[in-house]
Amino acid sequence: MFWLWVKYPENYFRSRYQPFSNNYHQFTGQDFSLIRQVVQLRKMDPLANSCTTGIHIEGPFISPEDGPRGAHYREFVQSPDWELFKKWMEESEGLIRMITLSPEWEGSAAFIEKCVESGILVSIGHTNASHAQITEAVKAGARLSTHLGNGMHSIIARHPNYLWSQLAAENLSATIIADGFHLPAEVIQVFKKVKGEKLMLVSDSVALAGMPAADYEAAVGGKVTLTAEGKLHLFDNPKTLAGSAMNILQGVNFLLKNKLVALPEAWQMVSIRPQRLFDTHFDPFQFGQKADLILAEQLPDQTLKIFKVLKKRSKNTARLTQT
């Protein structure tokens, strides 16, 4: 099993104070039902169609090792399979836009090249790849690191290692999880200094986001524990996180409250920068450009309080949504 990562409108999920939620869904390689459900939802609902901009497949072509594998199930991890991936693309009707993989597998470079030729963004993540393998992956067309600093061994060689290799790769942008549990503030500071405008924020939010503290059976990791502080980890291993139980706004607020970035940059990290991974010429301030606008207040502690979301539905109309 592995994760199908979809951006859905806030209306469909519990997570409040954000216009979009990133939600994980788990399915096996030959089970296309969830991909079909997303495709059907977009056809049935205009709002879902406008908000569901793509599918991110995270796995199963990742490292089989404990640590880099994270909460993914070992039995479903496998080497890159182009014929299988083509079936997913066909079922998605072109909705798959991105895949996370580990280039430690033999044949990874050729697989990456085929993805790039098909318009798929390739990201490196959940990896135990060598420096040479990461360099080869970037040369083949990989352009991103998925939640850099996570999906790793708890202890790694001081050098060389796959973290240094990804930080050193100038052509690799990077996403990070800023929920206060995945990365400490000082690590984010270092990543920001190295990656600069290539650094972006993701929520890594799973279905338990917004739920009360308790033990749960989850698609991500099986039996998990959600603490009162919001940390989500494997039930029998508090050191292994099972995704995040926080939303993207909470990530933005973590950056702002800890003075890691100013508001304009924090907003770009969750909007313009990710969009430009798929559309390098994207400019939200052109006449006639579709835009989602958010009305918010910046509080004394620098965090944001969202009041309203303007969802652009057509060239001349907009819908106002109270959140």
Side-chain angles (χ1 to χ4, degrees), residues 197 200 263-274 276:
E197 294 185 359
M200 286 156 274
L263 177 56
E265 183 171 12
W267 206 254
Q268 285 198 11
M269 290 173 70
V270 296
S271 57
I272 295 175
R273 291 181 188 177
R276 285 179 178 162

Side-chain angles (χ1 to χ4, degrees), residues 33 46 119 145 150 165 193 204-205 207 220 251 273 314:
S33 60
S145 294
N150 292 111
S165 298
K193 288 180 179 180
D204 207 50
S205 178
V220 182
R273 291 181 188 177
S314 68

Side-chain angles (χ1 to χ4, degrees), residues 159-235:
H159 53 73
N161 62 60
Y162 44 76
L163 179 59
W164 290 127
S165 298
Q166 291 177 82
L167 284 171
E170 293 186 5
N171 291 335
L172 279 183
S173 298
T175 62
I176 57 169
I177 306 166
D179 61 359
F181 302 107
H182 279 78
L183 294 173
E186 64 270 21
V187 173
I188 295 176
Q189 284 180 306
V190 173
F191 288 179
K192 179 178 178 292
K193 288 180 179 180
V194 175
K195 289 299 181 182
E197 294 185 359
K198 291 182 179 292
L199 191 65
M200 286 156 274
L201 195 66
V202 292
S203 71
D204 207 50
S205 178
V206 298
L208 292 174
M211 295 293 286
D215 296 329
Y216 294 94
E217 285 292 334
V220 182
K223 192 169 184 180
V224 299
T225 297
L226 177 59
T227 69
E229 296 75 25
K231 180 180 179 180
L232 183 65
H233 62 77
L234 298 185
F235 175 76

Side-chain angles (χ1 to χ4, degrees), residues 271-283:
S271 57
I272 295 175
R273 291 181 188 177
Q275 181 65 32
R276 285 179 178 162
L277 285 172
F278 302 95
D279 180 2
T280 55
H281 301 294
F282 174 72
D283 181 355

Side-chain angles (χ1 to χ4, degrees), residues 65-80:
E65 290 204 15
D66 291 347
R69 193 181 70 254
H72 293 251
Y73 291 108
R74 170 65 183 86
E75 57 265 37
F76 298 108
V77 173
Q78 66 173 86
S79 61

Side-chain angles (χ1 to χ4, degrees), residues 20-298:
F20 296 96
S21 300
N22 295 321
N23 292 271
Y24 277 112
H25 301 268
Q26 184 170 266
F27 65 111
T28 58
Q30 300 297 333
D31 179 9
F32 306 121
S33 60
L34 281 172
I35 293 178
R36 291 168 181 159
Q37 287 176 28
V38 175
V39 172
Q40 188 62 27
L41 175 63
R42 294 179 81 245
K43 292 179 178 179
M44 294 172 57
D45 190 305
L47 181 59
N49 182 71
S50 67
C51 293
T52 311
T53 57
I55 293 175
H56 169 197
I57 303 292
E58 187 174 332
F61 312 139
I62 58 175
S63 177
E65 290 204 15
D66 291 347
R69 193 181 70 254
H72 293 251
Y73 291 108
R74 170 65 183 86
E75 57 265 37
F76 298 108
V77 173
Q78 66 173 86
S79 61
D81 183 334
W82 180 247
E83 293 304 316
L84 178 60
F85 189 66
K86 282 202 304 183
K87 292 179 182 177
W88 298 339
M89 290 194 293
E90 291 169 2
E91 292 294 334
S92 77
E93 298 183 11
L95 195 58
I96 292 177
R97 304 287 304 280
M98 175 178 168
I99 183 169
T100 290
L101 55 77
S102 172
E104 67 195 75
W105 296 98
E106 183 178 353
S108 292
F111 181 88
I112 292 170
E113 290 174 350
K114 290 177 180 178
C115 286
V116 173
E117 291 171 0
S118 301
I120 305 296
L121 173 65
V122 178
S123 186
I124 298 172
H126 289 282
T127 186
N128 188 38
S130 67
H131 178 76
Q133 289 168 331
I134 290 174
T135 300
E136 186 179 22
V138 174
K139 185 178 179 180
R143 295 192 289 121
L144 184 67
S145 294
T146 292
H147 49 56
L148 188 65
N150 292 111
M152 297 176 53
H153 296 99
S154 57
I155 300 176
I156 58 175
R158 68 183 189 278
H159 53 73
N161 62 60
Y162 44 76
L163 179 59
W164 290 127
S165 298
Q166 291 177 82
L167 284 171
E170 293 186 5
N171 291 335
L172 279 183
S173 298
T175 62
I176 57 169
I177 306 166
D179 61 359
F181 302 107
H182 279 78
L183 294 173
E186 64 270 21
V187 173
I188 295 176
Q189 284 180 306
V190 173
F191 288 179
K192 179 178 178 292
K193 288 180 179 180
V194 175
K195 289 299 181 182
E197 294 185 359
K198 291 182 179 292
L199 191 65
M200 286 156 274
L201 195 66
V202 292
S203 71
D204 207 50
S205 178
V206 298
L208 292 174
M211 295 293 286
D215 296 329
Y216 294 94
E217 285 292 334
V220 182
K223 192 169 184 180
V224 299
T225 297
L226 177 59
T227 69
E229 296 75 25
K231 180 180 179 180
L232 183 65
H233 62 77
L234 298 185
F235 175 76
D236 57 354
N237 187 0
K239 292 184 178 181
T240 300
L241 300 173
S244 175
M246 297 190 182
N247 60 41
I248 199 71
L249 179 62
Q250 289 171 304
V252 168
N253 282 339
F254 179 85
L255 296 180
L256 296 175
K257 192 171 184 178
N258 288 278
K259 300 180 180 179
L260 297 172
V261 297
L263 177 56
E265 183 171 12
W267 206 254
Q268 285 198 11
M269 290 173 70
V270 296
S271 57
I272 295 175
R273 291 181 188 177
Q275 181 65 32
R276 285 179 178 162
L277 285 172
F278 302 95
D279 180 2
T280 55
H281 301 294
F282 174 72
D283 181 355
F285 303 111
Q286 290 183 347
F287 178 77
Q289 179 71 262
K290 293 182 179 179
D292 299 332
L293 304 177
I294 295 175
L295 178 62
E297 176 187 4
Q298 191 163 19

